[in-house]
Amino acid sequence: MTEVSSLTGRLLVATPALADPNFDRAVVLLLDHDEEGSLGVVLNRPTPVDVGDILEGWADLTGEPGVVFQGGPVSLDSALGVAVIPGGGSADRAPLGWRRVHGAIGLVDLEAPPELLASALGSLRIFAGYAGWGPGQLEDELVEGAWYVVESEPGDVSSPSPERLWREVLRRQRSELAMVATYPDDPSLN
């Protein structure tokens, strides 16, 4: 097997050609990517479920909209917390209950008492389920042109307008990808 260059902490932005309805115009934050596979959460799929309905203690710490996001089609009965810690917390000063993924972005231990992280959190999102790929599967999809790979920004995790995130992430690129942001939802109506 060839060596896998880690994409952990980067964004996968669905190309207009991606046919899987689970990922139509999806923006996925990769939380883990290595030779064993990949795992991420879709940042722009809010559900109508309030965080307080399933994780009451964490509800006051989540940003707007204060709902659970559908992180992907795998294990919809599980929850992941992704949080930004301003300044990223140095390695020896990372708050208890938070594990760095990339820069200031990390995973929250939702089993920990929320008070442990309350003062350190800059933003928090709760995801039901995740997106997962087996060994080599994501690399195959990249070769097929299903995804654009771009740098993440801490604000992507807590975008107050998740429905606009696909276009916003593409628009900020300094390449021809910025033009893809203008791609119509249904090109047949163009």
Side-chain angles (χ1 to χ4, degrees):
M1 176 182 238
T2 60
E3 183 178 325
V4 173
S5 175
S6 181
L7 299 176
T8 299
R10 312 250 337 249
L11 296 177
L12 299 177
V13 181
T15 68
L18 183 60
D20 184 339
N22 288 308
F23 298 108
D24 181 46
R25 299 216 173 190
V27 178
V28 178
L29 173 65
L30 281 176
L31 302 172
D32 194 22
H33 176 252
D34 58 27
E35 65 280 343
E36 295 178 18
S38 305
L39 181 142
V41 289
V42 179
L43 297 177
N44 57 337
R45 296 280 192 276
T47 71
V49 179
D50 287 330
V51 171
D53 292 345
I54 60 164
L55 291 169
E56 186 177 340
W58 293 98
D60 291 339
L61 301 177
T62 58
E64 290 298 321
V67 297
V68 174
F69 282 65
Q70 183 175 343
V74 182
S75 293
L76 290 172
D77 58 346
S78 66
L80 288 169
V82 178
V84 174
I85 302 291
S90 63
D92 58 334
R93 299 171 84 177
L96 287 175
W98 181 80
R99 180 179 62 83
R100 180 185 322 281
V101 169
H102 178 74
I105 301 168
L107 285 167
V108 171
D109 176 1
L110 295 174
E111 298 294 321
E115 311 77 62
L116 271 181
L117 284 165
S119 64
L121 288 179
S123 64
L124 170 67
R125 281 273 156 85
I126 305 296
F127 298 90
Y130 61 90
W133 294 265
Q137 186 180 4
L138 178 57
E139 288 75 14
D140 291 345
E141 290 182 16
L142 292 173
V143 169
E144 292 166 4
W147 301 99
Y148 303 119
V149 179
V150 301
E151 295 297 323
S152 63
E153 294 181 3
D156 297 332
V157 172
S158 59
S159 173
S161 303
E163 69 282 352
R164 295 198 316 245
L165 190 60
W166 186 83
R167 289 188 193 279
E168 289 172 356
V169 168
L170 288 171
R171 206 172 282 127
R172 75 177 182 231
Q173 303 310 307
R174 289 179 162 72
S175 65
E176 64 278 353
L177 284 184
M179 290 297 293
V180 177
T182 64
Y183 196 85
D185 291 334
D186 185 352
S188 68
L189 298 177
N190 205 5

